[in-house]
Amino acid sequence: MSVAGGALKLSRKDFVTDQDVRWCPGCGDYAILAQVQKVMPELGIPRENIVFISGIGCSSRFPYYMNTYGFHSIHGRAPAIASGLKMTRPELSVWVVTGDGDGLSIGGNHLIHILRRNVDVKILLFNNRIYGLTKGQYSPTSEQGKITKSTPYGSADYPFNPIAVALGAQATFVARSIDVEAKHLQETLLRAYHHKGTAFIEILQNCNIFNDGAFAPLTDKETKNDAQLVLEHGKPLVFGKDRNKGIQLRDGKLQVVELDSEVTQEQLLVHDETDIGLAFLLSQLAAPEFPTPVGVFRAVTRPTYEDIVQGQIQEAKKRRPTDLETLLRQGDLWTVS
Amino acid sequence: MSVTPAEPAVQQQSKPRVERDQVVIRFAGDSGDGMQVAGMQFTNESAIAGNDLSTLPDFPAEIRAPAGTLAGVSGFQVNFASHEIFTPGDDLDALVAMNPAALRMNLGDLKPNGILIVDREQFNELNLRKAGYDSNPLTDGSLAKYQLYPIDITKLTALTLRDTNLPARTVNRCKNFFALGLVSWLFQRPIEPTQKWIASRFQKRPELAEANQRVLQAGYHFGETSELFASSFEVKPARLAPGTYRNITGNSALALGLVVAAHKADRPLFLGSYPITPASDILHELAALKEFDVYTFQAEDEIAGIGAALGAAFGGAIAVTTTSGPGMCLKAETINLAVSVELPLVICDIQRGGPSTGLPTKTEQADLLMALYGRNSESPVVVLAPATPADCFSIALEAVSIAVKYMTPVIILSDGYLANGAEPWRLPNLEELPEIRVEFRTDPTGYYPYLRDPVTFSRPWVIPGTPGLEHRIGGLEKEHVTGNVSYAPVNHEQMVRVRARKIAGIAREIPPTRVQGPSEGDVVVLGWGSTYGPIEAAVRKAQAGGKAVAHVHLRHLNPLPSDLGEVLRRFRKVLVPEMNLGQLVKVIRSEYLVDAVGLNKIQGLPFKEAEILRRIEQMLEG
Ligand code: SF4
């Protein structure tokens, strides 16, 4: 069991609640829960200082299964609730668990605003590209033309790209991982935790009941190395089972190239987490033409919202009298005897 | 800065003074004419002169209506008296109209023989046409029944400042102070408070400060020296309860009350809000008070405003959201979550005319049923309403104290009239205000999230960061005591009932109903919220006429005082005036089976005393 932060000796089990987990057997949420519970002891902070806040949806059941403080709130509103908590209690580690419907449909507004404000909250968006809890309607990340119960003729909606949404909202940390990629997910969670500011992770999650196999090429042993492009800061963008393919920037466009004697790794694009233009280009890569990038698209620092707010409060306390008597006695006074 | 009732600015008075015990005056002009400032400063001068007073600002509906049009007229009414008063006054003793549109919009309220001061130059052809006048009322004899004083306010202002090199536009904008100076002389108000106010308002532009001060002074002297006025008027100080006073609007009082409440609770104050008329001033005011551990969060929308507040409540702050009707619709969902998770939250609804966007700048009290019932399922919350602008201070304290004691959302129903209206406020003795006890549970022994206090039925407030008490809350139905998610049929009924009983039990906090007047008789007038003033004034008039009429005012709309039914039944008739189609009256009829009748006015304006008195008299006859 890995222990960080000195005296604290917590294990995965300490983060498991006595509640029966009620996701469908085989749901990708189990794997995510397991990784989160595994990572928590490594944060080196006591359980009582961790809060999980969610909205509504399959993913939003998450807080019930985490033996920390938890708040299962209302559809789409978790970022707002988390913002109020984090502003006033900056010492807490606040996590939001949301889904593609919760975070990008009904709660889209709150999501983009928490991202631009850079409140130090960790947001895990489980993207299964379907509505699970309400039994199988298309979601804002479903592919256009998707046939579901509510779209028997195929959905007319063009989908959101969650990474591009987050980048567009000026998020300071934007990453993608996959439910079954245990190690990658753990590493991404840890990086998110250590990022000072809002951290947004899109976690591709299989809903085996209503949208099974949505990410199969990314997770099947056979295909995944060709389908995933693992982003690593400062490293060339190489992928493929035999690590023989790469991404090049040519004429302002990204292209897949085969590595051979003519094209070497040195000629490939090198990932830079601080370059938002590059992050945006990478966010547009998708199957079948391209591999799907996973990893950290963007990581930059910017003062957090709560630090600015706390700073203003401390500054005001230094500069202005804080006695209520003076406050009430503002303006012209007169006495009646 | 403390001042005792001051002598008028100019000591040497050559003209006689006529004593009056009450005056109602309205300043009206184009929204660019500075009438709100003139009205507020006149109010301040009157407060310092020791009068009781009540104000009614009337903002134009459109922020940037074209100059000179009827839609752009802005007004500010002040009632000041040498005795206790309850309303801004029915009809006007004096009207200042800065242009034809202002005259047209306001003349109907001026008493016959009332004083009418107009800026003569503004009655030019263009402005007359914009206001819809075919002929000039100043010369066509149509104003014969008033004491008309056409004064060249614009020109006199320009003359006063002719030795400055201020641009003409700037000079023109000083004319409200000429009018204010003139009226200050006419009613023998001290102008020093306004001089001081100008100095601080234009601290960074000393040339403007000086210009406005000079114009104010010029207006004052013009009254004294011109031949127009034969006398001035004097309204002696009122006999208010001893103490130190200041003037305060409802929104300011609410903001201060929230700060004091959080201080009494020894917790930070968190306001999550989205700008909306007429509630925004509370956000503005609190945003400037960070030194008192006040967090303000201007959210992306109404929903996030209350959502963030609920998050802060979860973390142990005194959490508040402020809004008006349209925002209340959006907040219903989160209020319900607060009902379900049983966290303290104060929701301030500064009501305005509706439905939908309705009349943003006008008052109404038609959100009562929404506050009581406007959420899905059985969703009991506490509903309180302040009676007067100053009462907003105490209602804020009471709301916070109930919210934290009973772990419940509390809705405060203020309205546009209270929010912007002002009255003298006797400063409270902070020490004497009751402490607000907040106890966070820290003891893990025997802890369950929904273990209830045997008396209040309140659940323990445990904040994140407390070791050993990690727990989860949420909007799903939970099992009695343990708080685990539960869909069990009988448990659900039990939880619905216990939530209802918890709120109903808060009636124990309400003092016995105060009946102003005889404890039994012919008519009792029952009111809530800002109708307090006109009802009290009308009932006192009726009582002075020897009638067995009483006034009962409700500050607690849910739960209702436990003795209310019994009190009402002691009267032959119950009259309920409301600025809606009859909302409280519905509640009263269904709760107590009394044959209460409504008196309803839905014009975006408060009741006049006479309107209520007339109805009382009809009921006495019937
Ligand atoms: S419906 Fe889909 S997402 Fe929801 S629990 Fe079942 S498998 Fe998981």
Side-chain angles (χ1 to χ4, degrees):
Chain A
M1 216 41 48
S2 74
V3 175
L8 278 169
K9 289 205 180 6
L10 296 173
S11 72
R12 190 185 93 75
K13 281 207 202 90
D14 292 309
F15 290 92
V16 177
T17 61
D18 59 354
Q19 303 294 298
D20 297 332
V21 184
R22 294 194 188 189
W23 290 308
C24 307
C27 173
D29 291 355
Y30 285 96
I32 304 173
L33 176 64
Q35 301 326 320
V36 172
Q37 287 172 333
K38 239 181 236 157
V39 160
M40 285 294 129
E42 306 205 13
L43 306 185
I45 46 173
R47 274 190 320 200
E48 66 267 19
N49 284 354
I50 302 171
V51 186
F52 275 82
I53 301 178
S54 65
I56 295 294
C58 292
S59 57
S60 288
R61 290 299 187 95
F62 205 90
Y64 289 119
Y65 311 136
M66 290 297 301
N67 197 359
T68 61
Y69 282 90
F71 200 155
H72 177 223
S73 74
I74 32 183
H75 211 6
R77 317 300 175 210
I81 292 172
S83 297
L85 180 61
K86 184 70 186 179
M87 270 174 81
T88 47
R89 301 285 311 278
E91 76 279 15
L92 300 172
S93 173
V94 180
W95 298 68
V96 162
V97 179
T98 182
D100 40 324
D102 190 64
L104 290 168
S105 209
I106 193 165
N109 197 28
H110 310 305
L111 181 68
I112 56 176
H113 287 278
I114 193 173
L115 292 173
R116 79 173 163 89
R117 290 190 184 107
N118 202 31
V119 186
D120 190 4
V121 165
K122 313 303 152 196
I123 300 173
L124 315 182
L125 185 141
F126 299 7
N127 182 9
N128 55 18
R129 309 188 79 176
I130 198 76
Y131 280 59
L133 192 70
T134 51
K135 299 194 167 54
Q137 301 82 6
Y138 75 105
S139 90
T141 55
S142 297
E143 57 280 17
Q144 199 172 33
K146 180 127 188 129
I147 308 251
T148 70
K149 281 179 207 159
S150 60
T151 48
Y153 292 94
S155 72
D157 297 37
Y158 193 78
F160 260 139
N161 173 337
I163 299 292
V165 169
L167 291 170
Q170 309 294 315
T172 53
F173 182 95
V174 181
R176 180 188 281 146
S177 191
I178 304 175
D179 53 2
V180 292
E181 291 287 353
K183 195 161 156 286
H184 186 264
L185 181 52
Q186 284 180 34
E187 283 166 8
T188 314
L189 290 166
L190 274 173
R191 279 214 51 195
Y193 171 75
H194 290 294
H195 174 74
K196 186 105 176 83
T198 318
F200 175 83
I201 311 178
E202 177 195 18
I203 305 173
L204 305 180
Q205 173 244 325
N206 192 38
C207 167
N208 56 308
I209 302 296
F210 296 108
N211 203 17
D212 196 21
F215 307 107
L218 285 169
T219 53
D220 286 354
K221 274 219 172 64
E222 288 302 294
T223 53
K224 67 180 225 182
N225 290 326
D226 286 318
Q228 288 183 18
L229 171 68
V230 181
L231 306 176
E232 286 176 279
H233 183 62
K235 300 223 172 121
L237 297 172
V238 181
F239 70 103
K241 200 156 45 187
D242 306 320
R243 302 203 45 86
N244 59 345
K245 289 184 268 190
I247 302 289
Q248 250 190 354
L249 183 64
R250 273 195 210 155
D251 306 329
K253 288 198 179 106
L254 296 185
Q255 291 185 349
V256 175
V257 291
E258 300 277 339
L259 292 175
D260 51 28
S261 53
E262 303 213 336
V263 185
T264 63
Q265 283 213 6
E266 283 72 52
Q267 290 163 286
L268 296 181
L269 191 57
V270 174
H271 185 44
D272 179 358
E273 292 171 349
T274 63
D275 181 344
I276 192 165
L278 175 61
F280 196 77
L281 281 176
L282 290 170
S283 75
Q284 301 302 305
L285 299 187
E289 213 189 319
F290 288 100
T292 301
V294 295
V296 178
F297 288 74
R298 182 177 204 225
V300 293
T301 47
R302 193 167 78 212
T304 67
Y305 189 78
E306 67 276 12
D307 278 356
I308 295 171
V309 170
Q310 292 283 348
Q312 289 180 346
I313 289 178
Q314 295 319 319
E315 190 56 33
K317 280 184 182 172
K318 261 188 254 155
R319 286 209 332 255
R320 294 162 59 109
T322 57
D323 83 295
L324 285 177
E325 206 62 61
T326 317
L327 173 66
L328 298 192
R329 302 172 77 89
Q330 271 169 4
D332 292 314
L333 304 182
W334 69 97
T335 38
V336 174
S337 42
Chain B
M1 173 65 35
S2 167
V3 243
T4 34
E7 288 300 308
V10 179
Q11 302 293 336
Q12 282 307 307
Q13 292 293 331
S14 46
K15 290 183 184 175
R17 294 188 200 174
V18 177
E19 202 168 307
R20 290 265 191 103
D21 65 353
Q22 179 173 3
V23 171
V24 181
I25 180 169
R26 187 183 296 164
F27 295 85
D30 200 66
S31 49
D33 286 343
M35 292 297 97
Q36 299 298 323
V37 167
M40 275 184 301
Q41 288 313 310
F42 187 81
T43 304
N44 213 23
E45 293 172 2
S46 299
I48 286 168
N51 300 128
D52 195 9
L53 59 88
S54 172
T55 72
L56 175 65
D58 188 21
F59 305 107
E62 286 155 58
I63 307 245
R64 295 274 175 266
T69 60
L70 297 175
V73 174
S74 170
F76 195 105
Q77 182 171 326
V78 189
N79 182 4
F80 56 104
S82 59
H83 53 79
E84 201 181 1
I85 50 169
F86 301 96
T87 75
D90 286 6
D91 300 319
L92 307 175
D93 299 296
L95 171 64
V96 178
M98 300 294 279
N99 68 8
L103 179 69
R104 195 178 184 101
M105 293 291 282
N106 293 285
L107 188 64
D109 295 329
L110 184 61
K111 286 179 188 164
N113 204 35
I115 296 171
L116 175 57
I117 297 172
V118 299
D119 184 359
R120 175 161 47 198
E121 292 150 280
Q122 296 301 322
F123 284 68
N124 55 37
E125 207 175 313
L126 178 68
N127 282 344
L128 288 167
R129 197 155 9 96
K130 280 191 200 162
Y133 281 113
D134 293 331
S135 65
N136 189 345
L138 303 189
T139 51
D140 67 7
S142 61
L143 300 175
K145 65 171 171 168
Y146 308 104
Q147 301 179 50
L148 175 64
Y149 298 102
I151 296 169
D152 296 327
I153 296 176
T154 305
K155 198 195 308 169
L156 289 165
T157 301
L159 277 175
T160 308
L161 298 178
R162 68 171 173 248
D163 58 344
T164 66
N165 38 26
L166 294 172
R169 243 179 78 94
T170 308
V171 168
N172 195 42
R173 294 189 63 167
C174 297
K175 66 186 178 193
N176 57 333
F177 284 109
F178 190 94
L180 177 60
L182 174 60
V183 173
S184 298
W185 172 81
L186 190 58
F187 296 103
Q188 294 300 310
R189 317 278 84 185
I191 58 171
E192 287 86 353
T194 303
Q195 299 285 37
K196 261 188 234 145
W197 181 87
I198 293 173
S200 81
R201 172 76 179 69
F202 296 102
Q203 209 167 13
K204 296 207 179 94
R205 307 279 309 272
E207 73 285 6
L208 290 187
E210 201 204 318
N212 281 309
Q213 285 173 334
R214 279 174 61 192
V215 170
L216 178 73
Q217 194 82 36
Y220 195 97
H221 290 315
F222 179 82
E224 172 63 20
T225 50
S226 83
E227 301 293 309
L228 280 168
F229 300 96
S231 64
S232 66
F233 300 92
E234 186 179 18
V235 178
K236 289 253 159 73
R239 285 235 302 272
L240 299 174
T244 303
Y245 284 78
R246 65 175 277 195
N247 231 355
I248 198 151
T249 64
N251 273 352
S252 285
L254 196 53
L256 292 181
L258 291 169
V259 173
V260 171
H263 180 84
K264 287 276 169 189
D266 202 14
R267 299 302 306 156
L269 178 70
F270 182 94
L271 171 68
S273 186
Y274 187 78
I276 187 169
T277 304
S280 305
D281 281 340
I282 306 171
L283 170 63
H284 306 159
E285 197 134 333
L286 289 177
L289 297 179
K290 297 200 190 315
E291 64 273 23
F292 294 97
D293 260 323
V294 176
Y295 294 79
T296 52
F297 179 61
Q298 181 178 317
E300 57 271 25
D301 59 24
E302 296 278 0
I303 297 171
I306 187 172
L310 189 61
F314 184 49
I318 300 300
V320 182
T321 190
T322 48
T323 189
S324 186
M328 280 301 276
C329 297
L330 291 165
K331 292 187 196 294
E333 176 192 46
T334 310
I335 298 175
N336 238 357
L337 179 61
V339 167
S340 179
V341 296
E342 302 187 42
L343 280 172
L345 181 63
V346 174
I347 302 110
C348 307
D349 174 7
I350 318 301
Q351 300 164 97
R352 67 190 215 188
S356 187
T357 309
L359 309 170
T361 60
K362 311 284 171 185
T363 196
E364 200 163 277
Q365 47 178 188
D367 295 353
L368 175 61
L369 293 181
M370 173 166 73
L372 291 172
Y373 309 119
R375 292 166 298 281
N376 65 298
S377 188
E378 299 291 348
S379 174
V381 300
V382 179
V383 182
L384 308 177
T388 69
D391 190 33
C392 291
F393 178 83
S394 23
I395 217 90
L397 281 148
E398 185 169 359
V400 170
S401 110
I402 291 176
V404 298
K405 179 167 176 186
Y406 289 88
M407 296 290 281
T408 176
V410 176
I411 296 176
I412 294 177
L413 289 178
S414 176
D415 62 33
Y417 164 55
L418 293 178
N420 295 310
E423 66 176 346
W425 176 43
R426 186 157 61 107
L427 295 181
N429 182 338
L430 285 171
E431 246 93 88
E432 282 168 18
L433 294 174
E435 290 301 316
I436 295 177
R437 254 191 30 179
V438 169
E439 263 177 289
F440 298 132
R441 180 169 174 150
T442 54
D443 178 12
T445 325
Y447 168 72
Y448 288 105
Y450 280 77
L451 193 66
R452 292 177 189 279
D453 178 278
V455 178
T456 61
F457 288 174
S458 184
R459 77 177 190 89
W461 195 0
V462 172
I463 59 169
T466 315
L469 291 180
E470 295 83 5
H471 66 280
R472 274 65 53 193
I473 54 174
L476 287 170
E477 185 60 285
K478 44 229 131 246
E479 190 179 59
H480 183 53
V481 181
T482 68
N484 289 331
V485 173
S486 167
Y487 302 134
V490 174
N491 175 74
H492 176 54
E493 177 158 338
Q494 185 182 6
M495 288 299 277
V496 167
R497 288 185 186 281
V498 83
R499 284 188 288 261
R501 276 180 65 192
K502 178 176 91 167
I503 301 304
I506 296 171
R508 73 172 71 86
E509 306 278 341
I510 307 175
T513 299
R514 194 179 144 256
V515 182
Q516 193 281 103
S519 62
E520 53 182 44
D522 295 325
V523 174
V524 59
V525 188
L526 175 69
W528 68 279
S530 72
T531 51
Y532 169 80
I535 294 177
E536 181 68 9
V539 167
R540 286 194 184 209
K541 271 253 166 74
Q543 288 168 344
K547 305 292 192 322
V549 176
H551 179 193
V552 168
H553 180 78
L554 293 180
R555 296 172 95 244
H556 306 85
L557 282 318
N558 195 47
L560 291 163
S562 32
D563 62 352
L564 183 62
E566 185 197 321
V567 167
L568 297 180
R569 281 189 207 95
R570 295 202 295 255
F571 292 84
R572 231 165 27 88
K573 292 180 178 174
V574 180
L575 174 64
V576 186
E578 292 179 88
M579 294 186 289
N580 58 44
L581 277 180
Q583 300 198 357
L584 177 65
V585 76
K586 274 198 181 77
V587 176
I588 295 300
R589 290 176 67 97
S590 81
E591 279 295 313
Y592 304 116
L593 289 176
V594 294
D595 190 15
V597 297
L599 170 64
N600 309 99
K601 177 175 181 179
I602 319 102
Q603 301 175 7
L605 291 168
F607 276 103
K608 291 184 173 184
E609 171 189 322
E611 292 164 339
I612 296 173
L613 185 60
R614 204 175 313 131
R615 189 74 184 92
I616 293 173
E617 280 162 358
Q618 280 169 4
M619 287 182 80
L620 286 167
E621 283 157 20

